[in-house]
Amino acid sequence: MDQIRISGGRPLKGKIPVSGAKNAALTLLPAALLTDEPLTLRNLPRLADVDTFGHLLNVLGASTQTQGSRPEDFGRVMTISASRMTSTTAPYDIVRKMRASILVLGPLLAREGVATVSQPGGCAIGNRPIDLHLKGLEALGAEIELTSGYVRAKAPKGGLTGGHIIFPVVSVGATENVLMAAVLAKGQTVMENAAREPEIVDLANCLVAMGARISGIGTERLVIDGVDRLHGATYAVMPDRIEAGSYACAAAITGGEVVLLGADRALLGSTLPVLEAAGVSFEDVKGGLKVSRANGLHGVTATTAPWPGLATDMQAQLMALVTVADGASVLTETIFENRYMHVPELARMGADITVTGRSAVVRGVPKLHGAPVMATDLRASMSLVIAGLAAEGETIVRRVYHLDRGYERLEEKLQAVGADIERVDGD
Ligand SMILES: CC(=O)N[C@H]1[C@@H](OP(=O)(O)OP(=O)(O)OC[C@H]2O[C@@H](n3ccc(=O)[nH]c3=O)[C@H](O)[C@@H]2O)O[C@H](CO)[C@@H](O)[C@@H]1O
Ligand SMILES: C=C(OP(=O)(O)O)C(=O)O
């Protein structure tokens, strides 16, 4: 199995192109099921999860064609044509590999009137329920049964109808699923306390380009006037704000200076001031954002929250950064109950971290040392890469398949800015 070997201590210098956002791509792909005309997605990142989603769309009867994807290019263009669906079932074998598969539920229900989707279980970062997805779809008239590990959903005769949904907590996935169902429902749907993440804005903009009628995009109150049909469109996936934030941490921890091509400070929300407080400097430059270490690294107190708060998907990378900061940090995770799988691994590299309940106290140490490490989720794995880039000596990161889910050609991008990093065969 592949491993990543890093010899730490080299300041990163140069340019890193930011890829299309994984978490936007994984909600734009199921949107293709809402129309019988082709949807062309540009700037799709080359990631294992995108391939898995393509496979799921094929299983449902949609064709997927990728164009212009020379191996040396970042990103690719995919045209998805769901002119005729041959199945309405998302099987366990695919859903277990990729939680985002649940996002075919709303589109299948809206388009075909039925959907059977394997229930995603918990995962390494927490419990991850889907009750709000189901309640939201029920508010549009769907009948839902949970049997044998599957969600079986049926629209009433005549199709889904608009409804009024007040989410008790902000849910990115539930907002996406219900939004995709509501665009083809009869009448008006109002979603209150909807998620406002940039990836939801990206989905809504793509749906509008396909003929949907949505107002309140980017706010917590989305109003959707259902239309009879959507048409095809061409849409470019937004840049990956989490990838950009991850490389910002990598540049700062190594004392380097990197231009993140295509990065946009507006997409970082209040993750940006938290990184600034930790000592990352951001400067707008032509074509992107220049990141470097300002005046040393400093401990921070920060809590993850829905947009525009500190992104939960940046918590592990921020933690890696502050392991070598002056002073202590207190990081609190509010979205997932178990998103600290990186803590024992960072500790093996010399970090001083104590977790109590939902908070982690990180006392900065002068330096980290390389070690063999392993993580059980995507961002935890990235935090180990960031730590490895700064550590003295060699770090081996195992279970690279987590990184391949969310970072397009990670080692190539880091090699290009001077990191001593390579993918090697391992046991
Ligand atoms: C608000 C938030 O930051 N969401 C993150 C979440 O999205 P993802 O869509 O996976 O999760 P949600 O946004 O739905 O979850 C937010 C919170 O709502 C709870 N919940 C969710 C759905 C549900 O049906 N019932 C329920 O109780 C969850 O347990 C969680 O505490 O993980 C993604 C991958 O790391 C991140 O990119 C998203 O930024
Ligand atoms: C946990 C993540 O993704 P997923 O929900 O696809 O597992 C992530 O993007 O950090």
Side-chain angles (χ1 to χ4, degrees), residues 6-326:
I6 305 165
S7 211
R10 294 189 178 199
L12 305 186
K13 285 215 162 33
K15 293 178 181 165
I16 299 183
V18 174
S19 292
K22 167 183 94 71
N23 287 335
L26 297 185
T27 187
L28 292 167
L29 287 161
L33 298 176
L34 289 163
T35 174
D36 57 5
E37 294 183 15
L39 175 67
T40 297
L41 295 175
R42 310 177 70 83
N43 199 33
L44 258 192
R46 291 169 187 242
L47 297 172
D49 272 12
V50 169
D51 293 341
T52 308
F53 219 118
H55 175 55
L56 174 57
L57 294 174
N58 296 152
V59 165
L60 298 172
S63 70
T64 47
Q65 277 186 322
T66 48
Q67 307 130 33
S69 47
R70 293 176 307 168
E72 65 271 31
D73 292 336
F74 289 103
R76 58 189 166 175
V77 179
M78 188 188 282
T79 298
I80 306 118
S81 182
S83 53
R84 207 172 62 84
M85 316 290 304
T86 54
S87 166
T88 51
T89 300
Y92 173 72
D93 266 355
I94 300 182
V95 178
R96 76 181 167 81
K97 281 196 214 145
M98 185 190 58
R99 295 187 48 81
S101 314
I102 189 68
L103 295 176
V104 299
L105 183 60
L108 283 177
L109 199 52
R111 168 99 183 266
E112 298 292 295
V114 287
T116 305
V117 179
S118 176
Q119 263 176 277
C123 72
I125 61 178
N127 183 21
R128 308 190 78 176
I130 55 161
D131 55 308
L132 300 176
H133 301 230
L134 306 186
K135 285 202 181 95
L137 296 172
E138 279 171 345
L140 304 186
E143 278 176 31
I144 294 178
E145 265 182 47
L146 299 177
T147 48
S148 315
Y150 276 82
V151 178
R152 295 171 205 278
K154 213 165 77 180
K157 255 206 171 101
L160 298 173
T161 48
H164 189 181
I165 298 135
I166 306 174
F167 289 111
V169 292
V170 175
S171 163
V172 170
T175 302
E176 291 167 342
N177 238 334
V178 178
L179 175 59
M180 286 191 276
V183 291
L184 288 182
K186 288 193 176 54
Q188 190 172 77
T189 298
V190 178
M191 279 196 261
E192 316 236 24
N193 201 26
R196 294 175 285 157
E197 269 62 6
E199 292 76 14
I200 292 194
V201 173
D202 217 33
L203 169 64
N205 286 338
C206 178
L207 293 171
V208 167
M210 295 166 74
R213 292 174 59 204
I214 307 169
S215 58
I217 295 174
T219 74
E220 61 187 40
R221 187 169 191 274
L222 287 171
V223 179
I224 301 113
D225 288 294
V227 294
D228 289 341
R229 62 184 301 273
L230 295 184
H231 51 72
T234 296
Y235 192 80
V237 181
M238 62 174 270
D240 196 317
R241 62 191 170 109
I242 306 302
E243 188 198 28
S246 303
Y247 289 129
C249 291
I253 200 171
T254 61
E257 185 179 284
V258 166
V259 175
L260 300 171
L261 295 171
D264 177 354
R265 72 163 63 224
L267 292 178
L268 286 167
S270 47
T271 299
L272 185 125
V274 173
L275 293 176
E276 281 177 334
V280 187
S281 148
F282 291 87
E283 187 192 330
D284 290 306
V285 292
K286 196 162 169 264
L289 268 182
K290 183 152 90 180
V291 292
S292 57
R293 186 193 293 175
N295 298 308
L297 298 175
H298 314 288
V300 289
T301 294
T303 301
T304 62
W307 177 266
L310 170 64
T312 174
D313 293 350
M314 276 300 299
Q315 177 259 113
Q317 302 89 310
L318 171 66
M319 189 180 292
L321 179 69
V322 296
T323 56
V324 289
D326 286 336

